[in-house]
Amino acid sequence: MNRITGRTGDQSLIEMSPSDSFNDESNGPHNPYTSASGSSQLGQQGLPAVCVESCESLNGSQFSLAPSDHSDSPQAQPLSLERINTLTGSWRKRALFLKFRARIDKSTQSKDSVFFRDGVRRIDFILSYVDDKDGERKQERRREYEANLQKAGLELETEDKSESDDGKTFFLKIHAPWEVLATYADVLKIKVPFKANDIPDHSQIPMNWLSTPFRLPDLVMHPEPDYFTAPFDKDKADFFLIDDKDTFFSPSTRNRIVFYILARCPYTTEDKQKKGIKRLLSNGTYSSAFPLHDSRYYKKSRDPNCESERFSLYKHWATFLCFFKEQPLNLIRKYYGEKIGIYFAWLGFYTEMLSFAAVVGLICFLYGLMTYEENEWSKEICDENIGGQIIMCPLCDKKCGYWKLNSTCSSSWQSHLFDNVGTVFFAIFMGIWVTLFLEFWKRRQARLEYEWDLVDFEEEQQQLQLRPEYETKCTNKRLNHITQEMEPYLPVTSKCARTCLSGATVLFWISLIIACIIGVIAYRLAVYAAFASIMKDSPTNNLHMVGSLITPQLATSVTASCINFVIIMILNLMYERVAIWITDMEIPKTHLEYENKLTVKMFLFQFVNYYSSCFYVAFFKGKFVGHPGDYVYMFGKLRNEECDPGGCLIELTTQLVIVMTGKQVWGNIQEALVPWLMNWWGSRKARNHPESLYCRWEQDHDLQGFGQLGLFYEYLEMVIQFGFITLFVASFPLAPLLALFNNIIEVRVDAWKFTTQFRRPVASKAHSIGAWQEILNGVAVLSVVTNAFIVAFTSDMIPRLVYMYAYQTNGQLSMKGYINDSLSIFSIDQIPAESRPEPGENPAWFNSSITTCRYRDYRYPPGHGQEYKHTMQFWHILAAKLAFIIIMEHVVFLVKYFVAWLIPDVPSEVKARVKRERYLVQEYLHNYEVEKLKDQLTCNTYNDCTCPPMIYPSLPTHEVLSECL
């Protein structure tokens, strides 16, 4: 490297390289003021030397620094001895400060700081490890890895294990200097501000004063001014608004850049393919890797240079008392990155939209409650002279006796709360609501994409964010015809084989779920006979107090639902690991592709796991039972279940409530209580230490790590809930209300968990919710079909309407006589011997004078010419059901597509701002190049300068820089 020496005042000639390092025991293993060999480059009076690259080497980088960074002189100032003297003064002050600081005892330093011991260089990342007795190989890996990190330009500082609370953990602190940040910001095309936003905001919310109690302080909602941004270009650094190079890149951007380097830096010189912090974590070389929180969550940092944004998030966002407040999305994005910010924006918007569905669902439920007394068919069932005189056929073989219809009085009344005319209206409403939700979310997402500089982000990620695992495992290379560079690729044969194995594994696990569901169905068929035998005389004989509310059908449904829920939880735990394993086996190319593949696998499994039992109750139970004398059997001996005269809808409601509520309660316990208990146990020793000794990296080390799939599980939980409130909402209008209450808690639980219980995640970008958007669209379309079938085949709405308008014998539009009309007659003498009740199973009131029993169907009575064949009324009802499904689906889909066409995905205001920003980028870049050319021509004409001044000395060429890039 070329050097220029000069005289500063009375001092002799001095010389220093900025890449040299200063080695001092109290300063750690690496400092920018000592040479690579470890010898000090300070003069006799502690003065550092100044090294300036030759003019030839600076010609390509003369504009790499912002005007604000050139605070000592104008950009075109000649490099004179006075200039060197000025530069040397700043370096001298820094070196003297570091030398003085080195003599200070470590215990006097702020342990809650996020800076190196010099108090100047920010800690951008922390690596921790335990020095094992038999860890020579790990030591060698760490030595090589850290040396390569230094070659890549990162600065390191180690905290000895004697300073840790357990006495055996080392902490390696990493700092990225300006040159490294600028280089990788250029590579990653990170957008930075170049001009203040000059478009006035004319948007006004009507009656804005009403929202005052729900708003947060403006400083919290908008922590940064609004700027026009452009991708960073290192060679045009003075084009951007750089006021302070130390704070120009936010901490989240800094840790994202450092993690990019860590993930691609090799840890051995023998095999360059062995690289990345992920592999070092998996083989135990390092125990953890994480960026630091900027303060404690319950109070601000004592260091005035720390932003204490974590404290602001906890105060205004993560406490439950703020449940009615808006979310500080810009601060969340600034602290955690865009990917987490998008999740909370979606969750908040979803919760807002749920409030409308919850209100309408509550109105439908209240309608069923208010029309409770007008329920004619329930009155007939409960009437002693009608329902009490109707003898029903046994519901199972041998163990079930004959029973009276009025024993289902309670379930009939309960069913009316959800099975009424309001159900049809609500099913149609939810089909339209889900469309509005998705369309308005697209608009909100488009606005966030612009405000958070995510426009055109996906294309950049596809090109730049290759997974290190893909680069490592794909040893074959081929020419990329677009970039004209050699790149790794996975051969087609290997890709096909891996895909086939992955698909076979997914099918196997789905088959396992179906087998478990069949087992639960067999349980329902087997235990129903036992419950019926127990309750054969009267529900209150053996079950006091609540016995009048429990029927054999309800008891069977509740116990089966609980067992099914336990099976669901067990299968979930098993399949999570399988899904991750088979996704890793496929070796996806990019992080986006990896997440999308895993998302599809996990959702497909969860869909079958959670919804299959609901699909069984809704569309299969009671539909294929046959009739007395010709029943349908499962496995040749278990008779299929029947729906009681009140319908299967109440059983679907029971199944939905148990699975949905159980999942939400278990999810909140798992998300909040488990991390808290683990953190409480892990930090039990440190809690006894004085606060001054419990340093920031140890505090964060004791927290739970936020894995790569942490946000994936949050999305999965909410999308499964979305399926419950859309696919089966016709059976339970209160489902959106339950989901609303859960989500109000969920937002704050997630915020509290992220802020207090987890280490700070590595910031990452995402322009949308990814593959979840297409999954939501698919669920929305499927929900229209399922709700139409629920109303038609699970509910009794259509048979009642057909009876009232076509078969009412009194000539009035009433439901009188409906129960008698909907039950067919069967002769007891024709029941096969193997199906007849055993002696003692029949109730006391049953005698030989009873010759017929009733069952739920539309068939001709015994003695008719078409005995036990379906009547014409059955075919009329079937036609009405099919007609309803067709009409409802076409109406809802027509409205859905019209609404989707009517509402543009991107607001016109956002389109205008995007066009304005692109125009300004082109205009400003053009003017910048013109001014740059003028300055160069002026400089060459008058020969006043040979090269532009340089404030920030560039780093030397690094051996592994190209590999990390």
Side-chain angles (χ1 to χ4, degrees), residues 617-673:
V617 176
F619 305 124
F620 295 97
K621 183 181 177 182
K623 307 300 185 297
F624 309 100
V625 296
H627 62 85
D630 188 22
Y631 285 117
V632 178
Y633 290 83
M634 177 183 287
F635 307 128
K637 58 181 180 179
L638 294 175
R639 200 174 101 188
N640 285 352
E641 290 181 280
E642 295 185 44
C643 294
D644 64 32
C648 277
L649 194 70
I650 189 64
E651 293 190 44
L652 177 59
T653 302
T654 304
Q655 179 79 20
L656 184 64
V657 170
I658 290 177
V659 177
M660 179 179 174
T661 306
K663 183 184 183 304
Q664 292 181 163
V665 171
W666 174 255
N668 286 329
I669 292 175
Q670 194 175 19
E671 288 183 16
L673 187 59

Side-chain angles (χ1 to χ4, degrees), residues 152-216:
L154 298 179
E155 298 176 5
L156 312 178
E157 186 177 77
T158 303
E159 289 288 330
D160 192 77
K161 64 181 179 180
S162 60
E163 303 245 340
S164 61
D165 62 315
D166 59 4
K168 57 182 180 181
T169 303
F170 291 86
F171 291 95
L172 178 66
K173 297 178 282 187
I174 302 176
H175 168 75
W178 166 260
E179 186 72 15
V180 173
L181 294 173
T183 300
Y184 283 91
D186 191 349
V187 170
L188 298 175
K189 302 301 178 186
I190 294 175
K191 290 189 175 182
V192 293
F194 70 92
K195 183 183 184 302
N197 191 341
D198 58 357
I199 300 179
D201 187 7
H202 298 296
S203 59
Q204 293 183 354
I205 303 176
M207 304 181 70
N208 194 30
W209 58 273
L210 291 175
S211 62
T212 301
F214 308 103
R215 294 209 299 260
L216 292 173

Side-chain angles (χ1 to χ4, degrees), residues 65-248:
L65 303 168
S68 58
D69 294 330
H70 297 221
S71 56
D72 294 323
S73 64
Q75 186 175 5
Q77 177 182 347
L79 186 64
S80 60
L81 289 180
E82 289 78 13
R83 171 63 176 159
I84 297 177
N85 191 9
T86 303
L87 291 172
T88 306
S90 61
W91 288 103
R92 183 195 320 165
K93 292 177 182 178
R94 180 179 175 93
L96 290 176
F97 171 75
L98 293 175
K99 197 169 184 179
F100 172 76
R101 192 271 315 143
R103 300 189 181 96
I104 300 177
D105 188 3
K106 293 179 183 179
S107 63
T108 64
Q109 302 301 309
S110 172
K111 293 292 184 178
D112 205 31
S113 174
V114 294
F115 293 91
F116 276 21
R117 297 192 199 107
D118 57 19
V120 177
R121 292 173 292 169
R122 187 183 188 96
I123 301 173
D124 296 314
F125 226 87
I126 290 288
L127 303 181
S128 69
Y129 60 91
V130 176
D131 196 2
D132 301 330
K133 295 181 180 179
D134 300 327
E136 295 183 2
R137 189 173 182 182
K138 294 180 181 178
Q139 290 180 7
E140 182 62 26
R141 289 194 198 119
R142 285 195 292 267
R143 190 180 303 112
E144 290 285 346
Y145 188 65
E146 291 169 17
N148 289 335
L149 290 178
Q150 289 179 323
K151 291 176 182 178
L154 298 179
E155 298 176 5
L156 312 178
E157 186 177 77
T158 303
E159 289 288 330
D160 192 77
K161 64 181 179 180
S162 60
E163 303 245 340
S164 61
D165 62 315
D166 59 4
K168 57 182 180 181
T169 303
F170 291 86
F171 291 95
L172 178 66
K173 297 178 282 187
I174 302 176
H175 168 75
W178 166 260
E179 186 72 15
V180 173
L181 294 173
T183 300
Y184 283 91
D186 191 349
V187 170
L188 298 175
K189 302 301 178 186
I190 294 175
K191 290 189 175 182
V192 293
F194 70 92
K195 183 183 184 302
N197 191 341
D198 58 357
I199 300 179
D201 187 7
H202 298 296
S203 59
Q204 293 183 354
I205 303 176
M207 304 181 70
N208 194 30
W209 58 273
L210 291 175
S211 62
T212 301
F214 308 103
R215 294 209 299 260
L216 292 173
D218 190 64
L219 186 62
V220 177
M221 289 300 298
H222 304 285
E224 295 178 314
D226 191 11
Y227 293 107
F228 289 121
T229 59
F232 185 78
D233 189 338
K234 181 182 175 183
D235 295 331
K236 301 180 178 64
D238 52 346
F239 172 75
F240 302 99
L241 300 178
I242 305 178
D243 294 328
D244 185 352
K245 69 180 181 64
D246 292 328
T247 59
F248 179 66

